[in-house]
Amino acid sequence: MKSSAEKINKNTEVSYLDAHLHLQDQRLQAQLPSVIARAGQKGVGRFFCNATSEDDWTKVIALAGTIPGVIPFIGIHPWYADSVAEGWRERLCLLLEQQSCGVGETGLDKRCPVDFTRQVALFKAQVDLALQYHRPLVVHCVRSWGPVVDIIEQEFAGESAPPVMLHSYSGSVETMRRLVTAGAYISFSTRLLGRDEKKIKKVLVETPVERILLETDSPDQLPAEWMAKGERAYNEPMWVADLYHQVAQLKKINVEDLKVSLWDNGKIFTHAAASRR
Ligand SMILES: [Zn+2]
């Protein structure tokens, strides 16, 4: 029997996808052409590039205009929820009207010192914008699963809702199941390449392939032992190829089949980002 990878046309554009990263970050900016070239050499050809604050929005959109395969997401990260400038919402609306882009990264983080009520207000406002403009949403969630799952179940479970991903997933198997039932995608980061990530590896094994995405979150989330060796100062998108191989092993599937499945999952986000309604 032919695998699904063999069945698809050899000429298709399928490549490894880095489903969450920050190419606009200073640490990558300094050597961006070589970072992208190294990713290309390892077969990584699509990058979901996320803003974290308003300062990033035009940078992320400009990167999408100059580097092939970059899909822009603009939003405000919960760490910056208390430092937004007045009128941010109107300016975000204007960009969503003018540009093909998703909303992110946004979310809730109980580990950071920003007032949680403020985080919830910013998160809800961005959820509303994703729904209003029918754009994919990228959610950062740390120790805030109750309110995040509630919002996803209430707002994104319907057939007509835009796609939503939980980036760098760190929750339980039970929470993953609720999110998957509500239609969400679960993105696992290169942290999983680390030796001691037993809990999250167990979640990955239980997550259906049709809901998985993989990411580096570059320049962050370099696996702990790589950092300890001191060979690399930061993460970069080429490492998502290694993550695909690791995940194929853990899921006991062919890496080419995984690549095709995850490309299809990513396409749902790419298409929703490009749809201006
Ligand atoms: Zn991120």
Side-chain angles (χ1 to χ4, degrees):
M1 208 172 95
K2 279 190 171 177
S3 74
S4 56
E6 286 167 316
K7 271 184 251 163
I8 63 149
N9 185 334
K10 288 265 187 304
N11 297 324
T12 52
E13 50 177 352
V14 177
S15 69
Y16 295 120
L17 155 73
D18 188 344
H20 183 102
L21 81 173
H22 306 279
L23 292 171
Q24 78 282 9
D25 190 285
Q26 280 299 336
R27 289 166 285 173
L28 294 176
Q29 271 294 302
Q31 48 162 323
L32 202 50
S34 43
V35 165
I36 298 297
R38 282 196 289 272
Q41 279 157 14
K42 288 192 79 165
V44 185
R46 188 159 282 179
F47 316 88
F48 289 175
C49 184
N50 281 250
T52 56
S53 67
E54 187 171 353
D55 287 348
D56 283 348
W57 296 351
T58 51
K59 292 180 203 163
V60 167
I61 287 166
L63 286 169
T66 50
I67 303 172
V70 172
I71 310 296
F73 289 75
I74 55 172
I76 293 159
H77 194 288
W79 297 353
Y80 307 107
D82 59 354
S83 54
V84 286
E86 208 176 313
W88 71 271
R89 195 185 170 283
E90 289 70 26
R91 292 189 291 278
L92 187 52
C93 284
L94 197 66
L95 283 173
L96 289 170
E97 276 158 26
Q98 292 168 345
Q99 305 286 336
S100 295
C101 55
V103 177
E105 89 180 77
T106 178
L108 299 176
D109 190 334
K110 278 221 171 113
R111 219 176 33 192
C112 87
V114 176
D115 176 63
F116 197 68
T117 314
R118 183 75 194 131
Q119 291 187 38
V120 171
L122 262 280
F123 178 46
K124 283 191 170 162
Q126 292 174 83
V127 163
D128 288 346
L129 291 178
L131 295 168
Q132 184 187 335
Y133 289 93
H134 198 80
R135 298 302 173 79
L137 184 74
V138 176
V139 179
H140 165 113
C141 180
V142 176
R143 295 182 192 162
S144 315
W145 294 105
V148 164
V149 175
D150 283 350
I151 286 174
I152 289 175
E153 285 180 339
Q154 283 157 21
E155 307 289 357
F156 291 89
E159 284 279 295
S160 59
V164 55
M165 80 164 82
L166 279 299
H167 113 81
S168 189
Y169 187 74
S170 60
S172 65
V173 171
E174 294 69 31
T175 301
M176 174 277 289
R177 292 212 173 102
R178 277 181 69 187
L179 288 163
V180 163
T181 303
Y185 289 76
I186 312 293
S187 184
F188 295 91
S189 85
T190 32
R191 242 185 30 196
L192 207 126
L193 290 170
R195 228 177 295 123
D196 303 323
E197 300 290 344
K198 288 197 183 70
K199 181 193 155 203
I200 205 69
K201 283 176 186 165
K202 185 173 182 298
V203 179
L204 172 97
V205 169
E206 299 292 325
T207 307
V209 171
E210 56 274 20
R211 291 305 175 76
I212 291 177
L213 291 165
L214 299 177
E215 62 173 90
T216 62
D217 201 12
S218 297
D220 298 315
Q221 307 227 24
L222 199 63
E225 49 265 59
W226 297 12
M227 223 150 37
K229 273 191 249 156
E231 288 164 8
R232 299 179 190 283
Y234 54 81
N235 206 351
E236 59 174 271
M238 68 168 170
W239 299 118
V240 87
D242 295 48
L243 183 58
Y244 269 73
H245 281 86
Q246 162 95 326
V247 168
Q249 240 174 32
L250 289 167
K251 297 288 284 179
K252 299 187 172 57
I253 54 175
N254 178 302
V255 73
E256 289 304 313
D257 288 344
L258 179 70
K259 198 171 169 181
V260 171
S261 298
L262 269 51
W263 184 258
D264 286 342
N265 297 348
K267 258 196 327 206
I268 293 164
F269 285 81
T270 307
H271 288 167
S275 76
R276 272 190 254 156
R277 292 187 178 177

